[in-house]
Amino acid sequence: MNPLAGRSPAITATRDGRFPDRAGFGRSWEEILETSAIWQGLDCGQYLKAWCGYAPDHVVERFAGVNHIGIYMGDYDNDDEVFGWHAHLHDLRTSGQVTTVEMGPSYISPRQYGTPGWWNSIVLADGRVIEMFACRRYGPWANRSADERGRLMSHVAVDVHTDTDVRHVLDHLDQAVDHLEKIAFTEADELGHTYGHVRNNDSDSVLEIVYEAPRAGTGHSDGSH
């Protein structure tokens, strides 16, 4: 079985649950690249089986590979911490390591966990997509353990073959497995993406299912987070 099965993407900089400071940006970036490379070859069917104990053929046959990984960068106290990281990503774009940098407010964290947050999304020169998340250290969110916060926001996103496959996979998992809960769904956003998230309430971890319609360019943005 794939050794990643049952885990979530993570970097060691977030083990204390805090967003890295500027001095730690370089190390965080190297870990993000290493983590992305490791997860890109994930066996998605094996991963689903280990993640929730259920992977019927009619679900697995809809999988087309890894679309992107999402990594929780930790909690912040001030938005400027996340803006500083965003500026660092733009510096990496200038150097040619990154082709696209996008940022936006979290959709899921205020609705599911009672705290605001941000996402950054990048495309590497080789086409890999990486998303990075941060939530404000606020309210009941701050009372969760660092490991739990990481599991709830970090995830792997699995590509499927058609837009209707997204709803099929999400709805079936939500209905077939008691401890799974569909927590978000967006159909045909402005970039042509259809995607949604299902949470494993036993392990406090998340899986995303994505269909990305063919389009010009390589940019990627996931405002559902």
Side-chain angles (χ1 to χ4, degrees), residues 194-212:
T194 295
Y195 51 87
H197 300 72
V198 59
R199 182 175 60 217
N200 185 326
N201 289 323
D202 281 353
S203 63
D204 290 322
S205 59
V206 173
L207 181 70
E208 183 176 356
I209 306 298
V210 182
Y211 170 70
E212 188 169 345

Side-chain angles (χ1 to χ4, degrees), residues 156-195:
V156 61
V158 177
D159 259 327
V160 291
H161 297 289
T162 70
D163 55 350
T164 57
D165 287 340
V166 176
R167 185 182 290 276
H168 176 90
V169 172
L170 292 173
D171 288 350
H172 184 77
L173 292 177
D174 179 78
Q175 294 165 13
V177 185
D178 287 344
H179 57 275
L180 298 185
E181 177 186 359
K182 183 173 68 175
I183 61 173
F185 176 72
T186 298
E187 186 171 18
D189 68 7
E190 68 276 10
L191 297 176
H193 300 165
T194 295
Y195 51 87

Side-chain angles (χ1 to χ4, degrees), residues 13-94:
T14 64
R15 283 179 179 169
D16 65 353
R18 303 294 297 192
F19 197 84
D21 59 19
R22 288 180 181 272
F25 282 0
R27 180 169 65 88
S28 297
W29 174 244
E30 292 302 320
E31 284 195 87
I32 287 169
L33 291 178
E34 292 171 4
T35 301
S36 173
I38 291 169
W39 281 81
Q40 197 63 33
L42 181 72
D43 183 315
C44 296
Q46 286 187 0
Y47 182 81
L48 178 65
K49 177 66 174 179
W51 183 69
C52 70
Y54 181 73
D57 290 344
H58 70 88
V59 169
V60 174
E61 69 188 9
R62 297 168 191 263
F63 290 171
V66 173
N67 179 276
H68 67 270
I69 62 166
I71 296 174
Y72 190 58
M73 298 288 290
D75 294 356
Y76 62 90
D77 293 311
N78 188 297
D79 287 340
D80 287 343
E81 297 174 61
V82 187
F83 297 158
W85 175 250
H86 186 66
H88 181 72
L89 295 175
H90 273 287
D91 290 342
L92 294 171
R93 181 183 182 188
T94 300

Side-chain angles (χ1 to χ4, degrees), residues 82-145:
V82 187
F83 297 158
W85 175 250
H86 186 66
H88 181 72
L89 295 175
H90 273 287
D91 290 342
L92 294 171
R93 181 183 182 188
T94 300
S95 72
Q97 298 182 63
V98 173
T99 62
T100 301
V101 179
E102 296 175 287
M103 181 180 180
S106 173
Y107 175 87
I108 285 180
S109 63
R111 289 164 175 79
Q112 291 289 324
Y113 309 122
T115 189
W118 295 96
W119 55 265
N120 277 278
S121 180
I122 60 169
V123 180
L124 300 180
D126 63 7
R128 280 180 288 156
V129 177
I130 306 171
E131 296 181 350
M132 295 142 283
F133 307 100
C135 296
R136 183 180 291 277
R137 193 171 182 83
Y138 171 80
W141 178 253
N143 296 325
R144 297 176 183 265
S145 71

